[in-house]
Amino acid sequence: MSTLLHGRPWIPHGISSANLRQQLRAPQSSPKSRSLIRIRAQTASTTQKQQPASEKARQKPTASLDTTHVAIKTDEPTDPAHVTNGAGSQGADMEVDSVLAKELSENGFRSTRRTKIICTIGPKSSSTEMLGTLAAGGMNVARLNMSHGDHEWHKTVINRIRKLNKDNGYSVAIMMDTEGSEVHLHELQQPHKAEVGEEFILTIRNPAVIPGKKGLGVSYEAFVDDVQVGDHVVVDGGMVTLDVLEKAGPDVRCKVADPGIILSRANLTFRRDGRIVRARNSMLPVLSSKDWVDIDFAIQMDVDFIAVSFVKTADVINNLKSYLSSRCDKVIEIVAKIESHDSVPNAQDIIEASDGIMIARGDLGAQIPLEDVPSVQKEIVMRCRQQGKPVIVASHLLQSMIEYPTPTRAEVADISDVVRQRADALMLSGESAAGAYPDKAVAVLRAVSGRIEEWCRQEKYGQIMLPQLAPNADGRVSEELCASASAMANNLGASAIFVYTRRGYMANFLSRCRPDCPIFAFTDQQDVRQRMNLRWGVMPFRLDFAANPEENIEITFKLLKRRDLVKEDDLVVVVSDIRSPDDKSVVRSVQIRRVP
C-alpha cells in the first residue's frame, strides 16, 4: 500500500506494501487493535482572544505535521473550532439521515450514491407531501428560486422542510437563489405554450393594455433601445426563440421562430448575427435592490447556501461575503452561478472567491455558442475539483420530464457524462418546480448516478492531479492527511472513511480526493451537517462529541452497529483532528481500524 505525498509514493518506514496490505486485510486478534500507521501532529497551546463566531467559523485549523512523532511547536494558535466541549458519552446518540441509512442498508457502503441531488421547489413540489417524497427519494438540497413567489411563500416552504428534517431524521439543506438583475419577463398568470408563427408584443409598459393577451412585460427599461429589427430574443436559455419584426415606441413586435413553453419571469437574451448583444444591459449590477432584500431574508431564515445569479467577476462574491460576516454569526456559503458571457473569462477568480459553483447551462448556452458549453462545463468542473470547491451542474438535465414520465436516452447520457466528470451535485430546475413528475425525475438522477459511479470505480475513471491549495505548512497538514487517508482506503478496499469535524473542513478535503468508499463525516453542529450534504461522497452525521477522541470512535462504532450500518470486522479509515484530553495539544491522526 502506498499513498501520495507531494506526488511521490510514501510507504511507512520498515513496512513493505505487500505485508501491510496483508496485515490489514486479515482479521485482527483483538477487537481494538489498529494499524501500525499513525500520523500525528501536535501544536503547543497558546491563549487566544475570543473572536466573533463568524470569524471563528471561517478560520483554518493550525498545526504542523511531524511523521516522526516529535512535537513541533508553532507560533500560530490552535483553532477553537476543533476543541471539544468535554461532553461525555453518557446518553450519547447520533443523528443520521433516514434516507442515507436506508441506502446504506440496501446497497452497502461502496454502492451508496455519492453524487448529490438538488431540487428546485415550486408549485408542483412545495406541499408537505411532495417535499417528503423528494427527501425520501434522495433530495439533499432544496433550492428556492427568488424569481418566483414572495417571502411568505418561501418562509412556508422553509418551515415545512425544517419540520420534515426534525420529524423524519432528514438533513435536507436549503439554498436560496437570487433573481439577479439581468433582463427577464414579468410575472405570468400561467405558463404559455408558444407555437411557430405566433406573435407577441414585448413591452416595457403594462402588458395588460395590449389587446388579445399577447403582451409580455419586460423588466428592462432600455429593452427597446438595445434590440433591433432582425434580432433574435432567446427566452429562458433557448426554451423559445422570437424574431424581432417591428419596434413601435415602448413595444417590440415579435414572432415565434422556435416554439416552446414561456414561463413566468423567464430570462431574456438578445442575439444579432449569431452573437450575443451586450449593450446597456451589460451595465446592469449583479445584485439588484430586490436581491439585497432577499439576502436579508435568507439571513433571517438561516439558510445554508446563497446562490448568486449572473456573476461577472469575483468582486461581487467578496462584497457579499463581507456583508454576511457583518450581519450573521452562522456561516452561509456562497455559490456563484456561471451563466453569463462575462463570467467565463473570470471563472478561475470566481471559483477561488466562492464557496461553490453552479454551472447554469441554460442561460450560459444562450450567451455563448452552444458548441462551447460542454467544454466550458468540463473545464469548470475540473477546476472546482482541483480547488476543493463543490460544483453543481444544472439546467436541462431532464427537460423532457416536465411533460413526460420517462427521460430521453440523450438526457440519460448527459447525466452520465456529468457523473463521470465527478461533479458534486446534479440540479433539477423546472423538472421539480413545475414538472408533472418531480418524484420520478429524482428517481432517474438517483438510479443513473449510482450506476455510473459504480462504473467509474470499476474502471478507475475520473482521477485527476490535485494541486496543493494551502498557503502555509499547517494547511498542507490537512491536505496530506486527507490525501493519504483516501489513498489508503482505495488500496485496502476500506468500507468507509470516518472523519470527525466541527466545520466540515477535513470532510471537504476528503471529498476533493473522490475516494472509492463513502466518507462518514461526524459533526456536533447541525448547520455544518447540512452544508456537508452538498459535498460529493460525504455522508453527514450529527454526534455529540466526547472529550476523548478515542471515545468518539468507540461511540461511533457502537451507535452505527446498533443501527446495523456497520458490522464486526469492517475495515475503516479514521481521520481525526481534535484536542487530546490529556494535554492541550492537537492530535491529528489517520488510523486503520476494524469495527470491534
Side-chain angles (χ1 to χ4, degrees):
M1 184 276 301
S2 67
T3 60
L4 292 179
L5 294 177
H6 300 286
R8 298 188 300 272
W10 175 77
I11 299 176
H13 179 69
I15 304 176
S16 70
S17 174
N19 288 340
L20 179 61
R21 191 186 304 245
Q22 184 177 6
Q23 290 175 24
L24 293 172
R25 282 181 170 163
Q28 303 297 310
S29 57
S30 168
K32 292 188 178 180
S33 61
R34 66 201 64 178
S35 161
L36 296 176
I37 301 176
R38 185 176 178 95
I39 305 172
R40 293 183 176 178
Q42 297 185 346
T43 56
S45 173
T46 59
T47 58
Q48 183 178 18
K49 294 183 179 180
Q50 195 70 20
Q51 294 178 325
S54 59
E55 292 184 18
K56 291 194 293 183
R58 294 181 185 274
Q59 284 183 341
K60 295 183 178 179
T62 55
S64 298
L65 175 66
D66 177 30
T67 56
T68 60
H69 302 273
V70 178
I72 297 179
K73 298 182 181 294
T74 68
D75 295 329
E76 297 177 341
T78 54
D79 185 356
H82 283 272
V83 183
T84 62
N85 293 326
S89 62
Q90 286 188 339
D93 198 7
M94 178 173 57
E95 295 178 16
V96 54
D97 193 304
S98 56
V99 178
L100 170 61
K102 182 180 178 183
E103 281 196 53
L104 290 168
S105 177
E106 292 178 351
N107 304 327
F109 281 10
R110 298 181 74 84
S111 297
T112 299
R113 171 178 54 90
R114 316 289 204 275
T115 307
K116 303 308 177 74
I117 297 175
I118 302 174
C119 296
T120 302
I121 308 303
K124 295 290 187 177
S125 53
S126 60
S127 67
T128 301
E129 294 74 18
M130 183 53 74
L131 287 170
T133 300
L134 295 178
M139 174 177 68
N140 301 107
V141 180
R143 170 181 174 254
L144 300 176
N145 188 350
M146 302 308 290
S147 297
H148 309 281
D150 56 19
H151 285 181
E152 194 61 35
W153 184 88
H154 289 292
K155 182 177 181 180
T156 300
V157 173
I158 290 172
N159 289 335
R160 286 173 181 169
I161 294 170
R162 294 218 166 110
K163 189 174 188 305
L164 282 170
N165 283 348
K166 182 178 180 181
D167 294 346
N168 299 280
Y170 301 147
S171 57
V172 177
I174 297 171
M175 176 185 293
M176 192 212 77
D177 196 329
T178 64
E179 179 179 356
S181 56
E182 289 287 312
V183 185
H184 57 81
L185 295 176
H186 288 176
E187 197 80 34
L188 301 179
Q189 291 185 350
Q190 60 184 14
H192 181 85
K193 191 168 185 178
E195 304 291 349
V196 175
E198 188 176 1
E199 292 191 3
F200 292 93
I201 302 295
L202 300 183
T203 181
I204 60 175
R205 56 179 173 151
N206 185 356
V209 303
I210 297 174
K213 296 184 179 179
K214 294 296 184 180
L216 298 174
V218 179
S219 65
Y220 175 46
E221 293 289 334
F223 169 67
V224 180
D225 299 324
D226 279 4
V227 298
Q228 298 178 7
V229 174
D231 285 354
H232 305 291
V233 179
V234 181
V235 182
D236 202 11
M239 289 290 291
V240 178
T241 302
L242 307 173
D243 291 340
V244 177
L245 303 178
E246 179 186 10
K247 293 168 58 175
D251 304 333
V252 176
R253 186 166 64 92
C254 301
K255 182 173 69 173
V256 176
D258 297 324
I261 298 176
I262 300 178
L263 300 176
S264 182
R265 304 188 72 83
N267 176 254
L268 302 179
T269 53
F270 323 135
R271 285 191 168 273
R272 183 178 304 146
D273 300 326
R275 296 184 179 182
I276 187 171
V277 176
R278 301 297 288 167
R280 291 171 60 182
N281 61 334
S282 64
M283 304 303 293
L284 292 172
V286 172
L287 292 172
S288 65
S289 56
K290 176 184 180 300
D291 291 334
W292 286 111
V293 174
D294 291 340
I295 288 168
D296 286 336
F297 171 74
I299 295 172
Q300 175 190 343
M301 296 305 298
D302 284 335
V303 303
D304 301 290
F305 306 97
I306 294 177
V308 183
S309 299
F310 299 103
V311 174
K312 300 175 183 177
T313 67
D315 293 342
V316 67
I317 302 300
N318 293 326
N319 183 34
L320 180 55
K321 281 190 172 183
S322 297
Y323 184 79
L324 292 177
S325 64
S326 67
R327 293 299 181 100
C328 62
D329 291 335
K330 173 185 173 180
V331 173
I332 300 178
E333 294 192 332
I334 299 173
V335 177
K337 296 173 68 176
I338 304 294
E339 57 184 338
S340 72
H341 178 272
D342 303 305
S343 63
V344 175
N346 299 315
Q348 185 62 36
D349 291 338
I350 294 172
I351 291 169
E352 292 176 0
S354 305
D355 297 306
I357 293 293
M358 182 190 298
I359 307 170
R361 304 180 302 178
D363 290 317
L364 182 63
Q367 298 209 12
I368 67 173
L370 282 173
E371 61 271 22
D372 289 346
V373 173
S375 57
V376 170
Q377 171 186 307
K378 188 172 183 179
E379 178 72 16
I380 292 174
V381 169
M382 185 184 68
R383 291 190 184 191
C384 287
R385 287 185 56 189
Q386 290 174 334
Q387 293 295 316
K389 303 294 179 73
V391 56
I392 305 159
V393 176
S395 305
H396 302 165
L397 288 171
L398 291 170
Q399 192 72 18
S400 68
M401 291 192 72
I402 292 179
E403 299 183 73
Y404 304 105
T406 56
T408 67
R409 306 312 178 255
E411 288 170 336
V412 171
D414 178 39
I415 295 168
S416 301
D417 188 53
V418 175
V419 175
R420 280 196 297 269
Q421 292 174 19
R422 303 292 186 96
D424 289 82
L426 302 163
M427 193 182 92
L428 297 175
S429 299
E431 302 96 328
S432 58
Y437 309 97
D439 52 338
K440 291 186 177 181
V442 170
V444 169
L445 291 188
R446 186 182 68 243
V448 174
S449 59
R451 176 63 188 91
I452 299 304
E453 288 169 359
E454 182 182 4
W455 178 86
C456 289
R457 289 191 291 274
Q458 292 170 351
E459 300 296 323
K460 301 299 181 184
Y461 184 89
Q463 300 297 325
I464 62 173
M465 292 296 296
L466 299 176
Q468 284 190 341
L469 299 180
N472 52 42
D474 169 62
R476 288 192 288 274
V477 173
S478 298
E479 287 189 57
E480 298 295 359
L481 283 177
C482 292
S484 298
S486 179
M488 288 179 189
N490 290 346
N491 292 337
L492 298 172
S495 297
I497 298 175
F498 287 11
V499 59
Y500 298 84
T501 177
R502 288 192 181 278
R503 300 169 302 135
Y505 184 68
M506 299 291 280
N508 195 43
F509 270 129
L510 285 167
S511 173
R512 174 179 182 247
C513 297
R514 301 295 196 263
D516 290 342
C517 63
I519 303 160
F520 283 17
F522 302 94
T523 181
D524 59 351
Q525 306 294 324
Q526 178 63 23
D527 59 332
V528 174
R529 178 190 175 200
Q530 291 176 187
R531 289 200 304 275
M532 288 193 295
N533 228 351
L534 183 59
R535 270 63 180 183
W536 187 97
V538 176
M539 315 298 177
F541 297 76
R542 203 198 71 78
L543 175 70
D544 291 329
F545 287 156
N548 188 333
E550 179 62 26
E551 190 176 350
N552 286 326
I553 300 173
E554 298 299 332
I555 291 172
T556 302
F557 285 155
K558 184 185 300 183
L559 294 175
L560 289 176
K561 285 179 67 176
R562 184 187 304 168
R563 296 172 182 266
D564 294 325
L565 296 181
V566 298
K567 58 183 182 296
E568 188 174 345
D569 278 340
D570 275 347
L571 185 69
V572 297
V573 176
V574 180
V575 181
S576 62
D577 182 13
I578 48 182
R579 264 188 204 275
S580 171
D582 54 355
D583 57 33
K584 296 182 179 181
S585 64
V586 172
V587 177
R588 292 179 171 180
S589 68
V590 176
Q591 304 177 41
I592 312 298
R593 301 286 291 268
R594 286 193 179 274
V595 178

